[in-house]
Amino acid sequence: MASALLTIVSASPILQKRGKTFTFFENVPKTLVKTGPAALAGAYNKYHVPVPANVAAAAASNDGSVAASPGQYDEEYLCSVTIGGQTLNLDFDTGSSDLWVFSSELPSTEQNGHSIYNPANSPTASELTGYTWNISYGDGSGASGNVYDDTVDVGGTTVASQAVELAMEISSEFQSSPGDGLLGLAFNQLNTVAPNQQQTFFSNALSSLDAPLFTANLNKGAPGTYNFGFIDDTLYTGSITYVPVTTAQGFWEFNSDGYAVGSNTFVTETIDAIADTGTTLLLLPDDIVSAYYAQVSGAQNSQADGGYVFDCSSTLPSITLGIGGYMAVVPGDYINYAPVSAGSSSCFGGIQSNSGIGFTIFGDIFLKSQFVVFNGDTSPQLGFAAKPTD
């Protein structure tokens, strides 16, 4: 596999390292997922942007979740991670840099429905005295607590002294999440630990990997995989197109070249974007969003529902997004996110406005249609390739 790796990425130099490769399966069932308005409000909150009043009202108009069979709606992708011998289901998030978990230090009522990490049950846990972390959002939601070092095992690759952030306080928005915490895979400068920021699991594991990269192969309505240290050439078709990453803001940030709706003419437009596995929707500039829904019969930007909605039986066009000359196609059925509420015949679009956020977010609606390489070498890059989407 290592020799295949060097051939595949020959246009994108990667340091060859003696170490590990591993495949990690995303396969944790979910029984409740966020409604579209709640998912959109969550994206605004994550990036510290005030939630528009109509979006907030729509998100609050129901319980914020709809029933789902495992894999349905793809609101969040969870993976089992072992910390100090204890297994938790974490959201792998390329849009943040904290590894935080539900813990025994939360009130018992806030632990309900979650696996928790208890440092007292770990023979390798060591508290970082005086260290704290705090994730807060514009709507008042958030989580905070103290910090331990412990052994973290992801797919057989172990980091012996990884900063693990224990939740001592957590808002209701996080309590209702299907996951037991989050494993951040963005760049280290986004880490919230004080007085000294801590490195991500990926940063700490780099020296043990065959190559300094991981790949995300998320799927629609089915489990996917994260591969660390190698590229599996059976997971994509054609070649991988690489683009440079700007790390100034701590994100996997890159430029997209433009878009096309369905079979319409490609429109050249520079789009400043980030690749974020921790955001559900595809959030695009208003002109692109308007152009897309102009091709969907009956679609409307609903004040009551907080975004673009359409009849759930609608046939949606694809959207193509240019990246370094590669044309990444998101099939139309991927863009039908979910009913706006339980039992509704109106569905919430997976494409919504990025207004006020400051950049475009290529979230899971986009990412599950592509094979994506996150290359964390000294000059970081993102790689995109087509894959079967049927």
Side-chain angles (χ1 to χ4, degrees):
M1 181 62 70
S3 60
L5 171 66
L6 289 175
T7 301
I8 292 166
V9 299
S10 59
S12 173
I14 291 178
L15 297 176
Q16 181 70 8
K17 298 183 179 182
R18 294 179 177 269
K20 293 184 178 180
T21 65
F22 66 94
T23 299
F24 201 62
F25 292 91
E26 170 276 311
N27 59 1
V28 179
K30 310 177 284 291
T31 56
L32 289 175
V33 297
K34 293 178 181 176
T35 61
L40 182 55
Y44 278 104
N45 283 323
K46 179 176 181 178
Y47 292 99
H48 304 282
V49 176
V51 180
N54 65 311
V55 176
S61 66
N62 53 60
D63 65 0
S65 61
V66 293
S69 59
Q72 191 177 1
Y73 308 141
D74 306 329
E75 179 261 324
E76 186 171 294
Y77 292 84
L78 302 175
C79 302
S80 296
V81 174
T82 300
I83 304 174
Q86 302 162 65
T87 300
L88 291 86
N89 298 323
L90 304 185
D91 182 8
F92 281 22
D93 181 10
T94 60
S96 68
S97 303
D98 290 82
L99 195 172
W100 71 265
V101 294
F102 279 73
S103 80
S104 57
E105 301 187 9
L106 285 166
S108 58
T109 56
E110 297 178 6
Q111 300 175 19
N112 291 339
H114 293 276
S115 298
I116 64 165
Y117 167 72
N118 186 343
N121 294 337
S122 170
T124 51
S126 174
E127 184 172 7
L128 295 179
T129 304
Y131 280 66
T132 61
W133 65 280
N134 188 328
I135 297 172
S136 61
Y137 298 128
D139 65 347
S141 64
S144 61
N146 57 2
V147 184
Y148 277 73
D149 268 348
D150 207 345
T151 299
V152 175
D153 185 301
V154 176
T157 286
T158 299
V159 173
S161 185
Q162 173 64 48
V164 179
E165 302 162 34
L166 281 63
M168 301 175 70
E169 297 181 354
I170 198 165
S171 64
S172 59
E173 290 80 3
F174 284 110
Q175 292 174 44
S176 61
S177 166
D180 305 318
L182 183 148
L183 190 149
L185 292 168
F187 294 94
N188 293 324
Q189 62 260 47
L190 292 180
N191 182 264
T192 70
V193 172
N196 297 314
Q197 289 180 312
Q198 300 295 296
Q199 294 198 114
T200 67
F201 172 86
F202 180 52
S203 290
N204 286 326
L206 278 177
S207 63
S208 68
L209 298 175
D210 273 358
L213 58 82
F214 64 93
T215 66
N217 183 39
L218 307 182
N219 291 317
K220 182 179 185 293
T225 56
Y226 286 92
N227 290 340
F228 285 73
F230 75 105
I231 296 173
D232 184 343
D233 59 6
T234 68
L235 297 179
Y236 66 93
T237 60
S239 59
I240 301 173
T241 298
Y242 287 89
V243 292
V245 166
T246 300
T247 63
Q249 298 190 78
F251 301 116
W252 292 90
E253 187 173 358
F254 65 103
N255 281 338
S256 170
D257 308 327
Y259 71 97
V261 178
S263 59
N264 291 341
T265 302
F266 186 83
V267 178
T268 300
E269 179 176 332
T270 299
I271 304 166
D272 178 22
I274 68 169
D276 181 7
T277 60
T279 291
T280 304
L281 305 176
L282 172 54
L283 303 183
L284 293 166
D286 285 339
D287 63 312
I288 304 177
V289 177
S290 297
Y292 180 81
Y293 287 109
Q295 302 300 313
V296 179
S297 178
Q300 59 177 320
N301 191 0
S302 169
Q303 285 293 111
D305 294 316
Y308 277 91
V309 299
F310 43 80
D311 190 280
C312 290
S313 64
S314 297
T315 299
L316 303 181
S318 62
I319 189 166
T320 299
L321 293 158
I323 305 171
Y326 164 65
M327 297 297 163
V329 179
V330 183
D333 61 329
Y334 281 42
I335 300 166
N336 186 336
Y337 172 60
V340 295
S341 60
S344 175
S345 62
S346 292
C347 278
F348 197 80
I351 291 174
Q352 298 292 341
S353 171
N354 68 352
S355 179
I357 295 177
F359 44 74
T360 285
I361 302 177
F362 281 37
D364 295 337
I365 293 292
F366 171 83
L367 296 172
K368 66 190 176 186
S369 73
Q370 304 295 311
F371 178 79
V372 187
V373 181
F374 295 80
N375 176 356
D377 205 349
T378 53
S379 296
Q381 294 181 311
L382 281 166
F384 298 90
K387 69 178 185 181
T389 54
D390 295 333

